[in-house]
Amino acid sequence: MDILFLTSGSPLSARSSFPVFPFLLLIFSIALIIIMIWFTHKKIELYHKSEKYIEKEKNRITSRKDVANIAKYYHIPKEQEAILWEICSLTACKNIAFTLKDSAECQLLFRQAYELMKGTNISDQKLNNFFNLLYKVETIGAQGKGILSTKFLKIGSIVFYHNYKNEQFPLYITWNTNDFFMVEIPEFLYNTDRRPKILEKQRFSIKTDSGISFNFISRIIRYEQTPQKQCLMAIAHTDKLESTIQRHYRREYYSEKVGFSAVKFNPNNKKNDDLFIYSPKRYEGQLNNISAGGCCIEAALPIKENQHICVHLENIGITEKVIGVIKRTRKLPNQGFALHIQFVKISLESKNKLYALVYKYEL
């Protein structure tokens, strides 16, 4: 027997009975919530950009989370991150994210923390991490805020001219105008073919107060000679300056008599033996610059690159035999040679002494 299934009403009447008003009310409510969230987000975004919020953030005390965020963003190693947090804790430092952007404020912060840490019998390793972090912070500042233009170079500061033979000549800035800046050049350079030609592009470098160097290329405008026989060179301004932060250590120009001697690997060395055999013959040189990772010595000998030598630094307080490898030998205008040396065997204690020398800290 067939069974009939009966439905109440037609499909048209079923559609007409759909709750349209509650559905539209739901859609409107969702849209309203989305709009409110968007406006709230924009309001918070504008507040975070306001001077009031920035000033509040700048003046609040640094938190552990701030340090962790900075370490993550700038790839600061864990041991240096711990030092940074200790520095911020000891000094009750204001927001370190803002402090990092001010080179002078950073230097003051680290020096203050150093004085507080020095009385705690700080280990050589911890002190080394401290100085490594200090240089890392300097490079962060250099990346964020460099020299915008040569118009900002100070009178009396040094510009290095690099010629095609890779010789370097230190030139003192005597004047700086809106159109060019003037440097004093040595008379021997003025009167020889080493003098750069007018209107040709030349390579220069400048070192800032924070120890970071910048390279730039510019044109020579003209030459002048004053009645006092002062030789001057006018250089066009440029705003294309590139920071040279590839080094791992801050380098300081430092003039001092030093010694060096030849070394060679000891083929018969055992576990407790020295890896090197030292020549008793010692040569004299003039230290031009130094860092915890290497130095530049002016000498009369054209020692080949990749040779190992022993550098004697007793005159600057380093008593151990420091071993270095010559990375580059450069001929100088005075017929001498600049030996660019990278240290390959140096103790943490001596490294810290060199750091202290460069940063003018008292150990």
Side-chain angles (χ1 to χ4, degrees):
M1 183 171 106
D2 294 332
I3 301 175
L4 297 176
F5 292 92
L6 300 176
T7 59
S8 60
S10 66
L12 181 62
S13 63
R15 284 198 298 272
S16 64
S17 64
F18 180 79
V20 175
F21 180 74
F23 176 75
L24 291 176
L25 183 61
L26 177 63
I27 296 298
F28 177 77
S29 299
I30 293 173
L32 184 62
I33 291 171
I34 292 172
I35 292 170
M36 289 177 65
I37 291 173
W38 184 84
F39 272 106
T40 303
H41 173 74
K42 281 295 177 183
K43 189 175 180 180
I44 293 173
E45 194 177 63
L46 288 173
Y47 174 64
H48 284 172
K49 292 180 180 178
S50 67
E51 291 185 8
K52 182 180 179 181
Y53 175 80
I54 292 173
E55 194 64 27
K56 181 182 176 182
E57 280 294 291
K58 187 184 294 186
N59 291 321
R60 70 171 176 79
I61 301 299
T62 300
S63 68
R64 185 68 182 85
K65 186 178 179 181
D66 293 329
V67 173
N69 289 338
I70 286 169
K72 183 178 179 181
Y73 184 81
Y74 290 109
H75 307 290
I76 296 175
K78 284 293 182 183
E79 61 272 13
Q80 293 180 24
E81 179 186 341
I83 295 288
L84 183 58
W85 172 236
E86 185 174 351
I87 289 170
C88 294
S89 301
L90 284 172
T91 59
C93 169
K94 292 181 180 179
N95 196 335
I96 189 64
F98 290 88
T99 306
L100 287 179
K101 299 175 183 178
D102 189 318
S103 176
E105 198 171 334
C106 261
Q107 292 291 342
L108 187 63
L109 172 68
F110 272 73
R111 194 169 289 275
Q112 181 185 354
Y114 175 77
E115 292 301 323
L116 293 171
M117 295 166 65
K118 195 167 65 171
T120 61
N121 295 321
I122 182 170
S123 68
D124 285 332
Q125 184 59 65
K126 186 175 180 180
L127 186 57
N128 191 253
N129 289 334
F130 174 90
F131 283 123
N132 285 332
L133 173 64
L134 177 53
Y135 183 73
K136 176 70 175 180
V137 165
E138 285 183 338
T139 61
I140 291 170
Q143 289 171 324
K145 184 180 179 182
I147 301 177
L148 300 178
S149 168
T150 52
K151 291 182 180 181
F152 298 99
L153 298 180
K154 298 177 183 178
I155 295 173
S157 57
I158 302 176
V159 170
F160 289 90
Y161 161 59
H162 306 260
N163 68 5
Y164 67 95
K165 293 182 179 179
N166 212 21
E167 297 173 330
Q168 297 181 27
F169 301 87
L171 313 174
Y172 288 89
I173 298 177
T174 59
W175 195 250
N176 199 340
T177 71
N178 287 329
D179 301 315
F180 61 88
F181 64 98
M182 194 79 77
V183 296
E184 182 179 1
I185 63 174
E187 190 174 353
F188 75 85
L189 179 61
Y190 182 84
N191 294 321
T192 64
D193 58 358
R194 287 195 180 95
R195 186 175 79 173
K197 295 179 181 180
I198 294 176
L199 298 182
E200 282 191 357
K201 289 184 176 181
Q202 303 293 337
R203 188 164 63 95
F204 301 91
S205 65
I206 183 75
K207 181 180 176 183
T208 63
D209 294 338
S210 63
I212 306 300
S213 296
F214 291 83
N215 292 330
F216 64 92
I217 294 174
S218 191
R219 296 182 188 274
I220 310 302
I221 297 177
R222 67 174 187 272
Y223 290 97
E224 293 181 9
Q225 195 167 25
T226 67
Q228 294 77 27
K229 302 298 182 181
Q230 187 182 29
C231 304
L232 303 175
M233 180 171 69
I235 305 172
H237 281 307
T238 180
D239 57 359
K240 296 179 180 179
L241 294 98
E242 297 181 351
S243 63
T244 56
I245 56 175
Q246 70 275 15
R247 286 176 174 164
H248 298 291
Y249 307 94
R250 178 172 173 176
R251 191 169 291 254
E252 184 69 22
Y253 295 98
Y254 197 88
S255 181
E256 185 63 68
K257 293 289 183 183
V258 295
F260 62 93
S261 54
V263 297
K264 62 180 180 179
F265 283 102
N266 182 3
N268 301 317
N269 77 86
K270 296 180 181 179
K271 185 175 181 180
N272 296 322
D273 290 339
D274 201 317
L275 290 174
F276 299 94
I277 299 174
Y278 305 89
S279 169
K281 188 172 180 59
R282 178 167 168 160
Y283 301 91
E284 293 300 318
Q286 179 73 33
L287 184 67
N288 284 344
N289 63 60
I290 194 162
S291 74
C295 66
C296 178
I297 296 175
E298 183 178 336
L301 299 175
I303 304 177
K304 293 181 180 179
E305 295 177 356
N306 298 318
Q307 295 288 312
H308 285 80
I309 64 171
C310 177
V311 184
H312 304 281
L313 301 171
E314 298 93 342
N315 287 352
I316 58 173
I318 308 297
T319 56
E320 74 167 297
K321 295 176 180 177
V322 177
I323 305 299
V325 60
I326 297 178
K327 303 300 290 184
R328 186 160 67 97
T329 298
R330 180 168 50 87
K331 190 173 182 180
L332 299 172
N334 61 5
Q335 305 308 313
F337 297 88
L339 310 178
H340 296 266
I341 301 164
Q342 178 184 343
F343 297 148
V344 295
K345 183 175 178 289
I346 182 172
S347 67
L348 275 180
E349 182 183 3
S350 294
K351 262 192 173 185
N352 291 337
K353 286 181 179 180
L354 291 177
Y355 265 130
L357 177 72
V358 168
Y359 285 105
K360 299 176 175 60
Y361 277 50
E362 290 185 9
L363 290 176

